[in-house]
Amino acid sequence: MNHNRLTQTTGMRVFAIINYTMLLLAAFICLLPLVNVLAVSLSSSNAANANLVKLWPVDFTINSYRMIFGRPEVHTAFWISIQRTVLGVLINNILTVMMAYPLAKSTKVFKGRNAYMYSLIFVMLFNGGLVPTYIVVKELHLVDTIWALVLPGAVPIFSIILMMNFLRQLPGEIEEAAFMDGASYFTSLLRVIVPLSMPVIATVTLFHFVGHWNDWFAALLYMNNMDDYPLQTMLQAVLKGNDIKTLDDAKLFADVSDRTLKSAQIFVTTLPILVLYPFLQKYFAQGIVLGSVKG
């Protein structure tokens, strides 16, 4: 008996070591491209263009970052991106919760559930197209406002379906107990459902954050003034424009290349997501699994 236990314990330890080794190797492989991008962004243009940079900067320089952050318009764009992301995530999350909650009920409780679900599925698969969307935004006088960046995508249907499926697997007795204590549907949603739904809320929050932070096309479409561009769109303009306004700009452009600038852009725009993800990771896996259990 002791021999079997010892063998089992040894086998479990060996399996754990192999498992952790493989996971660390996989994580290292996933990080290699990002490390390479960072190394290229901190290397000279000659080294980057000659493909001499691997995982460590060659001829270390921060001129690419000076080129990006040395412009006042980039600072303004960064602040606009923060506003757009915070406002957009807040609107997305509120509408996701408010729509997923009734859709998680049965047709006995919410008689119009199926009609709403068919409508959501239809508009998720089909849309009016780019030109009609622009006309609607223009007619609502949203062009050149931050609302043009957040309202067209205010209802994230995939997130609603994900959260709806999560809510449907919660025990109904929990909400029934709240009703017996005199709670209304709204009170039950805020005091019972939302606290229990933090894993899926964290999951959709990450989706919404990445979507708003990475989006550059909406501002290019709805903003006529570069002063209203968020960070992603502004960096696209800086990289493509390469406008030299001062002698310092001329010196910086002489020391950087398109590849080092793009690498710096990738790292700058990815960093906030890398910082946010570890705080949501433990909820993310649980939320994405539980939210896809039921149809």
Side-chain angles (χ1 to χ4, degrees), residues 228-239:
D228 298 325
Y229 281 180
L231 181 62
Q232 298 283 10
T233 313
M234 178 58 68
L235 289 178
Q236 285 291 117
V238 169
L239 291 179

Side-chain angles (χ1 to χ4, degrees), residues 186-195:
F186 190 73
T187 303
S188 174
L189 174 62
L190 291 181
R191 299 291 181 87
V192 179
I193 301 301
V194 169

